[in-house]
Each structure stands twice: as C-alpha cells, then as structure tokens.
Amino acid sequence: MTAIISILTVLTWVLACWFMLVRIESGHTGKDVHIKTVVAACILAIGVLSDVQWLMLRDGELLRGEQILHVLGMLGLILYALGDIRLGQAHIDKSKKISYRRQGIILFALGHLMFIAVILSLYDMTYKKYIFAAAAVAVVVALLTALFARRMNIHFGRYTALISVYIGILVFTAVLAWALWHSMGEAYDTALAAYQETIASPEYQEAIAADPAAVIAAPVMNPALGSADAIRAAFLAFVISDASLAPMYFGKVGGKPHYVIFNHVSYYMAQLLLAYSLIIF
C-alpha cells in the first residue's frame, strides 16, 4: 500500500508541474482545469489509500469516533477538490464567473470546517485556552482583511465579506491545528514530568520493594501526534498558498510565473499532508 501511495504522490507532483507549466504559458484554459481535476483525483485516491492503510494497521478494529474522524477528513478533501474545480471553471465560463468563484470559496471554507471538527475531536479540552486564542486571532485577521486589503492593492470588491469570513475560518483552523499539536506535546511532557517525579520518590521505591507488581507504567505519547503535526504543517501551507493567491486573483500580480509556482506548490503540499494525515489518526 505504501508503494502505491508513493507512486500516486510522484504522479501528483508530475501532473501538478504540468498544470503549472500550462498555466504559465497559456493562462486559464480548459486544459489546465482538466489537469487540475486529475491532480485532485490523485490526492483523493491518496486519501482513500491512507484510510485503507490505517485500517490495515488497526487490523480492522474500529471505534465509532475514529470512523467519524476519517469520514470528516475525506469529506474535507472532497470539498477542497470540488472548490478547486469550481474556481478553475470561473475562468472558463465568464457568464458564471461570480457564481463559480463564490461557490469555490464556500466549498473551501466548508472543507476547513471539516478539519476544524477533526481537530476539536482530537483536542484535549484541558488546553481550551488555545481555542479562545485561535478564535481571537481569526476575528482580528478577518477584520483587518476587510478594512485594509485595499491599502495593499488587493481589491476583493463584491467578495469582500465572503473572503473575510473565509480568511477568518482559515486562520482559526491554522492556529487551532498548531494548538492541537502543541497541547498534545505539552500533555505528554506534563505526564512524563509527573511520572519521573513519582518514580524518584522514596514512597514509590518503598512500594516497589514491598510489591514489584506496583510498578507504574510510563506515559505514552498520543499516537495522533504525528497526524496533528501533518495537519499543522498543512494549514501553514494553506495560509501561505492563499496569501499568494490574493494578489494573483484580486491584485495586480496576475499570473506571474513565480507566483503561480509558489501558490500551487504550497497548495498541493497542504493537500497531500492532509491526505497523509489520515494514516495516523
């Protein structure tokens, strides 16, 4: 299974490079939308195979909560793929450009909401302070986007409200993903420190001498930490990708080659990391 995922990953990057070349040389055409659709299908296939590999690692033993997490993760990837296709179609069918753009933005926002649900399902509410911090940062960034985008020569026009909300959701997801990873590490460090303090105490040594079966097991790192790390890196890449997308679509940059490359490399990196994350949680 790992070999197939690796082959699909290579194929994804080959097709992504072809797509970027077509976009740079020819701009928005039907051909680039078709290639982008195939790339999206490859990423979805990687997500499905990651799920299958996860099932194999678990020997088919499923918990209901884990099933829901994987359904949400796959729904997120599907929504991203549909959003990507819609945004591509906005450049082909000019008569529906506004509608397709709005649909694309909404589909991406819904995809982010699926991963917010995933993150919150994995989250240790002992560290809920980070959730409030993520929400505060998201609100501030969304308001700054609405108020000051024009000063940076980014003209969202009729999309201003929608994009501001979208950016708020994206930033909330990104900060929350970092908080998930950080809180898992912090919870393990706290448990490990308490364990080390306990086994070093005279009381524990006396208890072990009296009854060897009284040994306390060392804390184990949450196995979902690897998934949290992948999600954290993915949404950092998403933020970078969308930050470069704004001047391309709504500024004066257009389709300059280095912007096209930077935007799509970070975007596909985010998508692949999210697909890989399904192997772990």
Side-chain angles (χ1 to χ4, degrees), residues 62-133:
L62 303 178
L63 299 175
R64 183 180 179 185
E66 292 174 330
Q67 291 174 331
I68 293 171
L69 284 178
H70 283 258
V71 169
L72 290 171
M74 280 305 304
L75 279 175
L77 292 176
I78 291 169
L79 288 165
Y80 292 147
L82 293 174
D84 207 2
I85 292 168
R86 267 297 187 245
L87 289 176
Q89 290 175 323
H91 295 280
I92 307 304
D93 188 348
K94 301 296 184 181
S95 64
K96 297 181 179 179
K97 179 179 178 179
I98 296 172
S99 175
Y100 282 161
R101 271 194 175 177
R102 282 177 175 159
Q103 290 173 31
I105 294 167
I106 291 170
L107 285 165
F108 269 99
L110 291 174
H112 295 334
L113 289 175
M114 294 301 105
F115 277 97
I116 287 174
V118 168
I119 293 167
L120 290 176
S121 297
L122 294 170
Y123 204 83
D124 181 353
M125 288 302 169
T126 304
Y127 301 92
K128 59 186 177 183
K129 61 184 179 182
Y130 295 126
I131 298 177
F132 296 123

Side-chain angles (χ1 to χ4, degrees), residues 13 108 112 141 154 166-167 170-175 230-249 253 258-271 273:
W13 281 116
F108 269 99
H112 295 334
V141 173
I154 307 295
Y166 167 81
I167 289 175
L170 173 60
V171 170
F172 178 68
T173 314
V175 178
I231 294 172
R232 174 184 68 124
F235 279 99
L236 174 61
F238 250 125
V239 169
I240 293 170
S241 174
D242 284 350
S244 63
L245 185 67
M248 290 172 62
Y249 276 30
V253 170
H258 59 285
Y259 270 86
V260 171
I261 294 170
F262 186 77
N263 170 250
H264 288 93
V265 167
S266 55
Y267 170 69
Y268 287 123
M269 184 68 73
Q271 293 273 357
L273 284 168

